[in-house]
Amino acid sequence: MTERVVPEPERKRRRPTKQGVVLSAELIVDTALRLVGLHGAEALTVRRLGAALGADPSAVYRYFHSTDDLLIAIADELIGRAQHGWRPTGDWRADLRAIGLRIHAAYQAHPQAALLAAHRTTGRANEITAVENILGILRNAGFPDPEAVRIYHAFVDQSLGFAVLDAAALALPSAALSADYQVWQASYARLDATTHPHIAATAHLLTADMNRSAYPHALDLLLDAAEARLGRSGG
């Protein structure tokens, strides 16, 4: 896309699209999320967006510089959805855990979009709010600034890393996902204890645990480590 983005007051269409709606940046992002969810990354084109919106594809240019600009908006929208309705409780550990689980859930709700957008830095309103909230929780808990930044970094990378890992599994065709899950039962659970004693001893646990996300447990481990460091620092 090479046309300039039109300022907000000048954007609004005078007439509804063929679908009976008036275009907005929010509608385009919602439609893009739906298309990517149904058809994968290849759906994120101006032509397909225009068709889904019932508008000329060039109308998208009035809101976004490029498909990458739209992708950044999708990333920021997912961050915003993760924060929607969240309120701090004053318990730093509970607040961070809630935010982490919300991030993970928001991306799992849109696995195809998560694969495209979770690694992007948006610098937009929702991301800025999230960074401010998380750093505020840590600093108010008593973490020194250098430690607060390091924990923030680990916390965000962990949540987004698991979001992408789990989204990749959800984005698989159902037959492939089922086949991956069956490997633990069909292969690992049948290994001989004489050659693989540790796997054989824990096979019944592996078959149950490996078919669900490890993120909640990993998050608790990170929070345990942060809490121990806070105690050592006198916070």
Side-chain angles (χ1 to χ4, degrees):
M1 303 181 191
T2 57
E3 300 185 26
R4 73 182 182 91
V5 172
V6 177
E8 182 69 35
E10 302 173 25
R11 287 179 181 174
K12 191 172 181 180
R13 288 171 57 97
R14 295 183 182 277
R15 294 179 293 107
T17 69
K18 295 175 184 177
Q19 306 295 344
V21 296
V22 174
L23 282 186
S24 67
E26 293 78 11
L27 176 64
I28 293 171
V29 169
D30 285 346
T31 303
L33 275 170
R34 178 171 56 83
L35 286 177
V36 170
L38 290 172
H39 307 294
E42 63 273 14
L44 195 63
T45 68
V46 172
R47 181 182 62 80
R48 294 188 74 163
L49 270 173
L53 291 163
D56 190 288
S58 65
V60 177
Y61 298 172
R62 297 173 64 85
Y63 299 85
F64 300 100
H65 296 288
S66 63
T67 52
D68 192 65
D69 190 29
L70 174 57
L71 182 57
I72 294 296
I74 290 171
D76 204 61
E77 174 65 16
L78 290 177
I79 296 168
R81 292 186 182 194
Q83 296 176 92
H84 181 70
W86 176 82
R87 295 291 183 273
T89 66
D91 180 333
W92 73 266
R93 180 173 177 136
D95 287 344
L96 283 183
R97 194 174 197 278
I99 290 174
L101 293 175
R102 281 170 167 270
I103 291 171
H104 188 260
Y107 283 100
Q108 298 319 283
H110 301 278
Q112 296 281 2
L115 294 175
L116 289 173
H119 62 289
R120 303 303 298 271
T121 303
T122 75
R124 298 187 181 182
N126 289 327
E127 183 183 79
I128 290 169
T129 297
V131 174
E132 177 70 10
N133 285 339
I134 296 167
L135 285 173
I137 290 168
L138 291 165
R139 296 182 75 240
N140 290 336
F143 288 98
D145 286 353
E147 190 78 347
V149 168
R150 284 191 292 268
I151 294 171
Y152 160 79
H153 192 177
F155 172 82
V156 169
D157 279 9
Q158 182 196 61
S159 60
L160 294 178
F162 269 98
V164 171
L165 178 67
D166 293 338
L170 291 174
L172 285 172
S174 58
L177 180 59
S178 178
D180 277 7
Y181 286 161
Q182 288 303 314
V183 168
W184 293 100
Q185 185 69 49
S187 179
Y188 285 89
R190 298 180 180 181
L191 290 173
D192 195 303
T194 60
T195 56
H196 300 85
H198 303 301
I199 293 176
T202 59
H204 64 294
L205 299 172
L206 285 169
T207 54
D209 204 67
M210 297 304 293
N211 289 342
R212 56 177 175 253
S213 174
Y215 177 62
H217 183 57
L219 175 58
D220 285 338
L221 291 175
L222 185 148
L223 294 174
D224 286 345
E227 190 167 22
R229 294 173 75 92
L230 181 62
R232 288 198 296 272
S233 71

